[in-house]
Amino acid sequence: MTETYDYIVVGGGSGGCAVASRLSEAPDVTVALLEAGGRNDNWVVTTPGALILMVSGKVNNWGFETVPQRGLGGRIGYQPRGRGLGGSSAINAMVYIRGHRTDYDHWAALGNTGWSYADVLPYFKRSEDNEELDGALHGKGGPLHVGGLRSGNPVQDIYLQAAREAQFRINPDFNGEEQEGLGIYQVTQKNGERWSAARGYIHPFMASRQNLHVETGALATRLLFEGKRAVGVEYRRGNEVRTVRARREVILSLGAFQTPQLLMLSGIGDAAALGQHGISVLHHLPGVGQNLQDHPDFVFGFSSDNPNFTGLSWSGIKRIFSGIAQYRRERRGPMTSNIAECGGFLKTRPDLTVPDIQLHFCMAMVDDHGRKPRWGAGFSCHVCLLRPESRGSVWLQSADPTQPPAIDPNFLGEAADMEAMVAGFKTTRRLLETPALRALQTADMFTADVRSDDDIRAVLRSRVDTVYHPVGTCKMGVDDPLAVVDPSLRVHGIEGLRIADASIMPTLIGGNTNAPTIMIGEKAADMIRAAALN
């Protein structure tokens, strides 16, 4: 028999975990959460230092690739995305950033009523349990634990000294009144362990809430409709095809790549594109898969003989083993590191009103997302462009739901993005050339011969890739031909179907996207509950 629930949430990532958990708080409401991956409740996920095993490979990771990037000389990029409960919050660097308040005010100015910073702040606070910071801008007691790093790495102090030498301000709270400045990141951890969205919102209730059904290993293949109303989901579990039905609504939370893919597989998207794959058109919605935005990112890398960096060397391997022992005893030390321990937000020009670049300073030398290990220890510094002008897209390569979608971030597709990245390169190098950080360097691995602006452009084209923040492919909007959902996250032209993930962002926020996606799930649950009362 086909099982029926009030709500079906498809995708157990950051948004899906939040919305499913909040909806199931009402004991008289039944919720099914379908996730293609596993439970993600083992040591690989909970140990922060193990993130390299996931990001660089296929462990809990879809490991997508882009189509050849015209702006990057035809290179194919890498797009790791979390697979399993918690989604990318189970494999990411755990950096807790909300974005700039003007990002959300801009969403509201576009006509998305209810999405200003003042509107979304209560949901950030409701989700948060911050063990260090409080006041009007921070939350206590929420499902998402946030705190300071427990790595105890003295390089953090060296980084802060470098910031002072470069005359950048020190910022102790990037989610406070001001975002600009450099500092040490807060992370989604508790007691030195990763705190994914699943760990906060789903794992504690899988056994105790009888009204919450969590199905892992469930790959959604298409949505089911009666007319233009979503009434269920077809999914595969192993070799078996199953269906589940929804009395009230279906909520999609598969992320910026797979939410538009499932819509298109179900006949919602551009009619001409769907016809190329023999898919019957249920509803012509040309914005599905359009408006893809991501932060283009460049990574500086240096070898170092400082013993506090992780790397493939005899001393580095010894440090890893001693770190494992310390982690097991104390939940402290290098295995609690999120690698990207330091960073911040800077303006490349004084006339800018908000920071336009973000740095992630890493306690290891990272080459090609960790997929090209190098012998020896070192460190890295990422610089990404926060609000690129380039827009990409996602489309079907096949009508086969087991095949990945085509992904085109269109990195550096607009000339303005290249020039902004050149400015970001120079601003970051200003920090890296301070006496404090120069003293750590034994060799510049990627940029030693880069001097002129043309040199910078060339190295950017050869090395830029994602910093893991794709959004926007089912954008929220009104009176916009490319909008896919309205401000209540309901899919235009379809009843009983909403989206609650990063794909609804009309524009990319200035920062890491995990906390904002959880906020979207929190807000979606409130809107869904309010609709059920009417």
Side-chain angles (χ1 to χ4, degrees), residues 338-371:
N338 70 328
I339 309 300
E341 295 191 13
C342 311
F345 300 84
L346 299 173
K347 298 175 183 177
T348 59
R349 304 193 320 268
D351 60 303
L352 294 173
T353 57
V354 296
D356 61 330
I357 61 171
Q358 181 180 4
L359 307 189
H360 293 86
F361 185 89
C362 299
M363 303 302 177
M365 186 171 59
V366 180
D367 189 2
D368 191 18
H369 311 274
R371 298 188 298 173

Side-chain angles (χ1 to χ4, degrees), residues 115-159:
W115 289 90
S116 71
Y117 179 72
D119 293 320
V120 302
L121 178 60
Y123 294 102
F124 280 117
K125 292 174 65 177
R126 188 169 78 177
S127 68
E128 180 185 11
D129 183 19
N130 200 306
E131 66 181 30
E132 292 184 323
L133 302 173
D134 51 22
L137 298 181
H138 286 286
K140 299 284 187 181
L144 186 68
H145 289 288
V146 178
L149 285 155
R150 294 161 65 99
S151 67
N153 196 321
V155 172
Q156 293 179 10
D157 292 330
I158 297 174
Y159 178 83

